[in-house]
């Protein structure tokens, strides 16, 4: 490839050390799109003829069709996607192909390709997140009457609708969608025309190229343009958070599917058995989604570490951006799809949920609120309920099993109507402030999300 300055062949070891075609071949579509737009700018500047541009277009189209059909032969000695395509084009069409790289470097070319690639992936990931949200909303709606204990510190805290719990994740994934869309907005700027570092003495119509490729604008500093990978970091950060959200949901599903909780059972299609223990039905989807968080977070750290300390401008280190980016994109898309599928097959064990949420200790705070409504300062009310809880612990009973006399021995503020606090239906209906899980609120949120998600 390098016929001018070099006299010796690249060492075999360097060849395999430095090649990127084994993974960056995935950029072929975007590389071809970039070249097509670039050739239009070359024609406009009078650097190639109309006919030459047509030859380039036909050649690239043919190459693209062969790649698509899996018939194109990648050559490791041509190092990367850019040189593989360009060399093959020149082999096929001759001089016109050799003109294509005018006023262009692989530095601005690869920066353009990755932006184009990730731009599409942002849309696909946004769709995956939406699918996931829809699956959660569907489950919330299907099981809208089911109450479960809500937990803090993994200790039973207060009753909530299962739907309220699920919709918490819908909120998280919505912020994820916004972050991905936001990252896309910032990456949608054209670097092509920045050359290797300092643009070119040959001036092309960059605005036209941007328009052809669907970029919102063009970069304003050639040095930044060829060395900026912020957009990839931003996306990897957004995806790391998606992975963390999936991992937390996984943990809930794993707990809920355990014998100890027994709140849900997962469908056979999304679980596996044990090679040894015949009774096992393992929540592998959730475990794998949780496990894959490690690599998705790792990919973010990997790219940040690669970029740290790089002097201006492009350095070959930057070739290391691709594998983490590809891996996170692939991992998140797959995790979202399989998780959404799994949620569709979740069966809720209503009896187990009802038994767990019947724990009257879950309503201890409601009893304190009862005293507050009677004019007792909250800190004092907290203590008066605490005394009742202590008495229950001593007797091995629940709050509703204490007598009125027991309560009044603790405080005269307790009256016979205190027992109304233990009516779960009333307790839920009372939680009607914005964001709280009254049945009306949860139903309204389900409607809101269904409309927002077009489900
Ligand atoms: N394969 C390279 C990369 O991904 C393309 C840019 C190479 N530029 C260079 N001057 N060697 O970063």
């Amino acid at each position: 490839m390098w016929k001018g300055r070099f006299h010796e062949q690249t060492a075999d070891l360097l060849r395999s050390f430095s090649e990127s075609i084994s993974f960056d071949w995935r950029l072929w579509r975007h590389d071809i799109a970039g070249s097509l737009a670039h050739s239009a700018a070359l024609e406009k500047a009078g650097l190639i003829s109309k006919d030459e541009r047509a030859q380039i277009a036909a050649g690239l189209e043919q190459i693209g069709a062969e790649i698509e059909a899996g018939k194109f032969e990648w050559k490791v000695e041509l190092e990367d996607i850019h040189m593989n395509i360009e060399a093959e084009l020149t082999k096929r069409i001759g001089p016109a192909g050799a003109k294509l790289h005018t006023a262009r470097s692989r530095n601005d070319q690869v920066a353009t390709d990755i932006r184009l690639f990730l731009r599409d992936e942002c849309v696909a990931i946004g769709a995956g997140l939406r699918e996931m949200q829809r699956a959660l909303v569907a489950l919330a709606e299907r099981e809208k009457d089911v109450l479960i204990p809500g937990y803090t510190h993994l200790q039973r805290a207060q009753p909530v609708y299962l739907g309220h719990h699920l919709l918490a994740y819908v909120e998280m994934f919505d912020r994820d969608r916004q972050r991905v869309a936001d990252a896309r907005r910032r990456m949608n700027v054209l670097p092509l025309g920045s050359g290797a570092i300092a643009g070119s003495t040959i001036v092309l119509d960059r605005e036209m190229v941007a328009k052809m490729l669907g970029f919102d604008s063009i970069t304003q500093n050639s040095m930044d343009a060829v060395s900026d990978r912020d957009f990839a970091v931003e996306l990897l950060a957004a995806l790391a958070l998606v992975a963390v959200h999936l991992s937390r949901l996984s943990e809930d599903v794993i707990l809920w599917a355990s014998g100890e909780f027994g709140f849900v059972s997962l469908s056979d299609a999304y679980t596996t058995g044990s090679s040894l223990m015949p009774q096992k039905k393992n929540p592998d989807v959730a475990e794998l989604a949780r496990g894959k968080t490690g690599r998705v977070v790792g990919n973010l750290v990997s790219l940040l570490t690669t970029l740290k300390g790089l002097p201006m401008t492009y350095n070959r280190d930057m070739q290391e951006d691709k594998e983490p980016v590809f891996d996170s994109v692939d991992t998140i898309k797959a995790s979202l799809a399989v998780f959404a599928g799994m949620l569709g097959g979740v069966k809720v064990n209503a009896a187990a949920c009802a038994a767990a949420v019947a724990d009257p200790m879950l309503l201890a705070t409601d009893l304190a609120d009862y005293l507050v409504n009677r004019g007792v300062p909250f800190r004092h009310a907290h203590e008066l309920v605490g005394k009742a809880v202590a008495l229950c612990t001593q007797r091995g009973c629940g709050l509703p099993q204490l007598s009125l006399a027991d309560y009044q021995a603790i405080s005269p503020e307790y009256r016979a109507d205190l027992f109304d606090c233990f009516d779960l239906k009333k307790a839920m209906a009372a939680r009607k402030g914005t964001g709280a899980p009254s049945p009306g609120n949860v139903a309204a949120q389900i409607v809101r999300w269904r409309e927002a998600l077009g489900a």
Side-chain angles (χ1 to χ4, degrees):
M1 193 71 188
W2 314 118
K3 291 200 196 106
R5 189 187 188 297
F6 289 78
H7 304 295
E8 287 177 55
Q9 288 287 316
T10 312
D12 285 349
L13 269 176
L14 172 57
R15 208 179 266 180
S16 63
F17 187 64
S18 75
E19 67 85 20
S20 55
I21 189 63
S22 57
F23 49 88
D24 70 11
W25 65 269
R26 292 177 58 164
L27 299 173
W28 68 268
R29 241 180 247 285
H30 310 92
D31 197 75
I32 287 177
S35 289
L36 288 173
H38 185 65
S39 68
L42 292 176
E43 189 204 339
K44 188 172 178 200
L47 294 159
I48 59 173
S49 67
K50 194 172 175 200
D51 179 55
E52 285 173 318
R53 180 181 163 198
Q55 289 176 41
I56 289 172
L60 288 174
E61 199 171 305
Q62 196 183 56
I63 289 170
E66 284 169 30
I67 297 172
E68 178 126 62
K71 288 186 188 134
F72 192 81
E73 195 200 328
W74 301 112
K75 299 201 175 94
V76 174
E77 58 276 23
L78 289 173
E79 214 176 274
D80 59 24
I81 182 65
H82 324 295
M83 295 206 288
N84 265 270
I85 292 181
E86 190 196 325
E88 185 60 27
L89 179 71
T90 305
K91 196 172 123 195
R92 293 184 189 192
I93 69 170
K99 289 184 183 178
L100 179 60
H101 212 52
T102 309
R104 183 176 78 173
S105 155
R106 280 186 295 157
N107 296 354
D108 58 348
Q109 191 178 1
V110 72
T112 303
D113 289 7
I114 314 170
R115 284 177 191 248
L116 284 169
F117 174 84
L118 289 183
R119 215 174 64 173
D120 290 351
E121 293 300 335
C122 284
V123 174
I125 291 162
L129 284 165
R130 188 187 280 264
E131 255 340 283
M132 184 68 196
Q133 288 179 295
R134 280 188 184 142
L136 287 162
V137 173
L139 185 56
E141 182 157 35
R142 166 153 64 82
E143 305 293 345
K144 62 181 181 306
D145 299 326
V146 174
L147 285 161
I148 56 170
Y151 297 79
T152 62
H153 314 268
L154 201 54
Q155 305 284 319
R156 283 180 183 172
Q158 296 190 339
V160 293
Y161 282 99
L162 174 67
H164 193 59
H165 189 132
L166 297 171
L167 292 182
Y169 285 99
V170 177
E171 299 277 353
M172 293 180 226
F173 290 124
D174 213 61
R175 290 194 296 274
D176 289 331
R177 258 191 328 129
Q178 292 171 33
R179 267 184 287 270
V180 170
D182 187 50
R184 185 188 187 281
R185 210 168 302 127
R186 225 169 349 268
M187 76 175 61
N188 201 25
V189 181
L190 173 80
L192 202 64
S194 302
I197 167 168
S200 171
T201 57
I202 297 163
V203 179
L204 301 180
D205 185 348
R206 297 184 62 210
E207 291 287 359
M208 181 187 83
V209 175
K211 205 173 252 163
M212 288 182 77
L213 292 171
F215 283 104
D216 295 328
S217 58
I218 63 176
T219 55
Q220 300 294 315
N221 181 303
S222 63
M223 294 179 76
D224 178 44
V226 293
S227 62
D228 169 25
R229 293 294 181 273
D230 293 3
F231 60 91
V233 172
E234 282 189 47
L235 182 61
L236 286 186
L239 297 186
L241 201 42
V242 173
V244 167
H245 290 157
L246 275 171
S247 186
R248 297 186 69 181
L249 177 57
S250 296
E251 184 61 17
D252 281 340
V253 169
I254 291 163
L255 286 172
W256 289 348
S258 70
E260 282 68 19
F261 278 75
F263 291 178
V264 303
S265 60
L266 307 174
S267 78
D268 290 355
Y270 287 95
T271 47
T272 61
S274 156
S275 56
L276 179 79
M277 300 165 284
Q279 86 283 12
K280 290 296 287 289
K281 190 170 167 188
N282 297 325
D284 293 42
V285 169
E287 289 172 293
L288 283 166
R290 186 179 59 183
K292 285 175 191 294
T293 306
R295 60 202 272 181
V296 177
V297 172
N299 288 334
L300 168 64
V301 176
S302 163
L303 183 58
L304 282 169
T305 311
T306 298
L307 296 174
K308 176 195 171 295
L310 288 189
M312 289 288 268
T313 49
Y314 178 85
N315 297 268
R316 191 63 185 281
D317 314 46
M318 293 181 127
Q319 181 169 296
E320 293 291 317
D321 62 354
K322 288 172 205 63
E323 287 161 295
V325 159
F326 292 157
D327 184 64
S328 282
V329 162
D330 293 344
T331 303
I332 290 298
K333 283 200 296 189
S335 298
L336 288 170
V338 73
F339 217 109
M342 182 192 70
L343 287 177
V346 165
K347 279 215 177 67
V348 173
N349 182 346
C353 294
V357 82
D359 178 352
M361 287 302 176
L362 289 167
L363 296 170
T365 316
D366 295 53
L367 191 56
D369 290 346
Y370 162 82
L371 292 173
V372 165
N373 282 328
R374 294 190 45 77
V376 181
F378 179 74
R379 285 293 165 212
H380 188 41
H382 186 282
E383 190 187 324
L384 295 179
V385 176
K387 284 182 176 162
V389 170
L391 191 57
C392 290
T393 310
Q394 199 186 319
R395 292 194 192 157
C397 70
L399 286 169
Q401 282 74 51
L402 297 180
S403 67
L404 182 58
D406 291 331
Y407 278 108
Q408 287 183 335
I410 294 170
S411 166
E413 290 301 335
Y414 281 119
R415 300 290 158 87
D417 59 352
L418 76 89
F419 291 97
D420 291 350
C421 288
F422 306 127
D423 181 329
L424 198 51
K425 276 231 154 71
K426 280 190 194 153
M428 295 317 293
R431 289 170 157 77
K432 56 185 188 298
T434 301
S438 72
N441 280 355
V442 175
Q445 289 295 315
I446 289 172
V447 170
R448 172 171 85 87
W449 282 117
R450 226 188 321 116
E451 283 170 3
L453 298 166

